[in-house]
Amino acid sequence: MHLAVFLLASTLSAITFALDNGEMRTPPMGWLAWERFRCDIDCKNDPKNCISENLFIDMADRLAEDGWRELGYTYVNIDDCWASMERDENGRLQADPKRFPGGIPRLSRYMHDRGLKLGIYGDMGTHTCGGYPGTPLDKIEVDAQTFADWEVDMLKFDGCYSNASEQEKGYPLMSKALNATGRPIGYSCSWPAYQGGLPPKVNYTQLGEICNLWRNYGDIQDSWGSVLSIADWFFENQDILIPAAGPGRWNDPDMLVVGDFGLSMDQSRSQMALWAIMAAPLFMSNDLRTISSGARNILQNKMIISINQDPMGIQGRRIVKEKSHIEVFWRSLSNGASALVFFSRRTDMPYRYQTSLSKLNYTTGSYKIYDVYTDQTTMLKDTTNFVVSVNPTGVVMWYVSAPAKLHERHFYKSGNLMESVHRGDENTIPRVFL
Ligand SMILES: *[C@@H]1O[C@H](CO)[C@@H](O)[C@H](O)[C@H]1NC(C)=O
Ligand SMILES: *[C@@H]1O[C@H](CO)[C@@H](O)[C@H](O)[C@H]1NC(C)=O
Ligand SMILES: *[C@@H]1O[C@H](CO)[C@@H](O)[C@H](O)[C@H]1NC(C)=O
Ligand SMILES: *[C@@H]1O[C@H](CO)[C@@H](O)[C@H](O)[C@H]1NC(C)=O
């Protein structure tokens, strides 16, 4: 793959039409209840964790007070099990009156007063996956209007209890109905996750025209095996998925489980790094009231967030798969920059992986490298061999600035960088990041 050719192709794909609601020009970020809190409705015995307005208020307070909102984590998203089992006398959905005594409008006001947004969950079908009232075809318009009247900012539209032909009508119809309300509402479609097939039997062109993001694959669970299986599926199908993504239209590999129980710190760094490479929506599903400082530091890493949020919105790809079980991922970023992730699938010990930027098809030049997890900066010539030490199931992640031609080196010298250019030492291996 020649970088220049790929850049041109991806730029073209990024200007294909996206859902024209002005929403989510970069991947949405926030918090989503499902993976961590599921369908816990036992507020009598588990009042702190049950699906109730208190849970969303608690998370909103944490987002607003603990530095998350300023980093872009602004959505507070309700998932399944929020609704009353009965529609109201006008046939409209209503929140469970015991668990959401203020209804959804009070929650959306609460979010908006704090500079946050509220997301809600519905299901294209007779019932939600959890058995609550769904949105069959004849209820799509009234439900879209209800969500708009409640001033919600995003809808996740699941697909349990409907068949393929109903979904083919329902997902585009909901897009139209949301548009007709006049309220910009980010639209997350679970449609492809219900179509399946390898390669996925999905019209991604159409999807990008009607949805802002879509779940392509099964639900994430709180385990490394789950994170790895999702990442593998996305990168195995990258040639189909990458052209589908762009500003306003995103592939969604599902929630971040960093801060829960299943991932080690290295695995948490890997999930965050790979999700940034994929230009994935960053919806955390964790307990922000009790999250560890280690997990918080990963999720609040400014450089990784800015890589994820790059305005060009070009989804990255796997470029190397070594027999040593090291994989390299690359994402093209604005201003001629890029991101690299060196990932180890190994389970033995830190692996010393040797390569060079030219082996990764970088063009001739001298590059400023910023290691996003260690905050170290250095300079690398494209031809210089280097070694990265990658922990088992872990990553090393770099932000690589645009190349300076060799005669432009003074440009870097004038900055206050910790410069360590390796001149004329191509035969030795500088231990740059050990
Ligand atoms: C570099 O480019 C060559 C030629 O197009 C290609 O065969 C190779 O797979 C590319 N390598 C990487 C790491 O992208
Ligand atoms: C509805 O669609 C039109 C045409 O695509 C677009 O200009 C407008 O901004 C959309 N409105 C909302 C609220 O999404
Ligand atoms: C899908 O479900 C609808 C409503 O139950 C039914 O009328 C239709 O025949 C079904 N279509 C297929 C292809 O199963
Ligand atoms: C996919 O959707 C696009 C846009 O709606 C449409 O023009 C195209 O014909 C569809 N492709 C197939 C194979 O159905």
Side-chain angles (χ1 to χ4, degrees):
M1 162 86 41
H2 289 291
L3 295 190
V5 173
F6 178 66
L7 256 176
L8 178 62
S10 345
T11 307
L12 287 175
S13 79
I15 58 171
T16 54
F17 298 103
L19 173 58
D20 189 13
N21 61 0
E23 294 290 286
M24 300 178 173
R25 304 300 295 171
T26 62
M29 299 171 62
W31 185 90
L32 173 58
W34 183 255
E35 196 292 315
R36 178 65 181 254
F37 295 95
R38 308 279 167 154
C39 196
D40 178 354
I41 56 169
D42 187 3
C43 291
K44 189 153 169 281
N45 296 306
D46 197 12
K48 293 294 275 182
N49 301 308
C50 67
I51 300 303
S52 72
E53 65 178 21
N54 292 334
L55 180 68
F56 298 97
I57 285 171
D58 278 359
M59 294 308 155
D61 290 346
R62 299 280 51 81
L63 288 178
E65 291 165 30
D66 297 345
W68 300 98
R69 178 187 57 201
E70 290 69 21
L71 292 165
Y73 291 99
T74 53
Y75 285 91
V76 179
N77 286 9
I78 301 169
D79 206 278
D80 203 350
C81 309
W82 61 271
S84 164
M85 282 298 181
E86 306 296 333
R87 287 174 176 264
D88 73 8
E89 63 279 8
N90 300 314
R92 287 161 60 114
L93 291 170
Q94 52 186 346
D96 182 280
K98 284 219 180 65
R99 292 181 286 118
F100 294 85
I104 304 301
R106 185 158 92 193
L107 266 187
S108 60
R109 265 198 309 281
Y110 195 87
M111 301 310 157
H112 298 156
D113 287 348
R114 283 158 186 77
L116 300 169
K117 295 175 174 180
L118 183 71
I120 202 159
Y121 168 100
D123 185 284
M124 165 68 246
T126 55
H127 297 84
T128 70
C129 300
Y132 290 78
T135 303
L137 291 171
D138 63 352
K139 288 283 194 286
I140 283 179
E141 281 168 16
V142 63
D143 289 356
Q145 192 57 53
T146 302
F147 298 145
D149 292 345
W150 290 345
E151 303 198 338
V152 308
D153 304 293
M154 174 172 172
L155 169 66
K156 172 178 169 182
F157 205 34
D158 213 340
C160 283
Y161 301 106
S162 55
N163 64 33
S165 59
E166 291 167 304
Q167 291 176 2
E168 201 176 318
K169 294 195 191 87
Y171 280 98
L173 202 58
M174 178 56 90
S175 185
K176 270 207 190 115
L178 291 172
N179 179 279
T181 69
R183 181 177 179 80
I185 296 178
Y187 182 34
S188 166
C189 300
S190 299
W191 190 12
Y194 288 85
Q195 289 176 286
L198 264 181
K201 292 187 192 60
V202 175
N203 186 337
Y204 284 108
T205 309
Q206 181 195 18
L207 213 53
E209 289 169 359
I210 66 164
C211 313
N212 294 113
L213 62 156
W214 46 82
R215 282 281 312 285
N216 314 56
Y217 191 69
D219 286 358
I220 200 162
Q221 310 295 334
D222 189 7
S223 76
W224 176 238
S226 172
V227 170
L228 195 56
S229 73
I230 290 172
D232 281 345
W233 187 89
F234 274 77
F235 289 108
E236 272 148 31
N237 293 294
Q238 62 186 359
D239 292 334
I240 295 167
L241 300 178
I242 287 169
R249 41 187 297 168
W250 309 105
N251 292 297
D252 181 6
D254 211 5
M255 294 158 270
L256 292 165
V257 292
V258 176
D260 292 315
F261 308 99
L263 305 190
S264 71
M265 278 298 133
D266 273 298
Q267 292 161 354
S268 301
R269 282 188 276 270
S270 296
Q271 191 190 17
M272 189 70 182
L274 294 174
W275 263 233
I277 289 288
M278 285 190 278
L282 300 180
F283 288 112
M284 307 178 280
S285 193
N286 51 19
D287 191 340
L288 297 173
R289 299 167 298 196
T290 57
I291 190 169
S292 72
S293 60
R296 182 192 318 224
N297 288 342
I298 293 168
L299 292 163
Q300 295 195 343
N301 185 301
K302 284 188 180 145
M303 198 57 168
I304 303 186
I305 290 171
S306 81
I307 290 168
N308 172 266
Q309 295 288 299
D310 186 82
M312 289 204 306
I314 297 174
Q315 183 174 331
R317 58 171 51 239
R318 180 165 58 197
I319 57 171
V320 175
K321 219 177 152 179
E322 302 278 10
K323 284 201 192 71
S324 61
H325 299 294
I326 300 295
E327 297 180 358
V328 184
F329 302 84
W330 171 78
R331 181 173 171 192
S332 175
L333 304 171
S334 304
N335 304 317
S338 59
L340 279 175
V341 168
F342 304 92
F343 168 59
S344 173
R345 309 177 73 93
R346 298 176 69 93
T347 53
D348 51 0
M349 62 188 287
Y351 186 80
R352 291 163 47 79
Y353 179 64
Q354 182 187 329
T355 186
S356 69
L357 291 177
S358 62
K359 281 186 198 132
L360 301 174
N361 283 351
Y362 278 75
T363 52
T364 306
S366 179
Y367 292 81
K368 185 180 91 172
I369 305 287
Y370 179 76
D371 183 313
V372 303
Y373 282 125
T374 66
D375 284 330
Q376 284 181 297
T377 303
T378 192
M379 298 295 302
L380 267 185
K381 263 167 60 179
D382 61 297
T383 49
T384 304
N385 286 312
F386 61 83
V387 168
V388 282
S389 176
V390 194
N391 290 347
T393 68
V395 289
V396 168
M397 183 173 195
W398 288 359
Y399 175 85
V400 184
S401 298
K405 295 281 184 294
L406 293 181
H407 64 269
E408 288 171 349
R409 258 191 197 145
H410 62 275
F411 169 77
Y412 289 104
K413 284 189 172 164
S414 64
N416 57 349
L417 305 170
M418 289 163 45
E419 194 183 19
S420 58
V421 185
H422 301 278
R423 293 184 187 83
D425 57 356
E426 271 75 58
N427 299 322
T428 63
I429 301 165
R431 301 184 178 189
V432 188
F433 294 103
L434 293 183

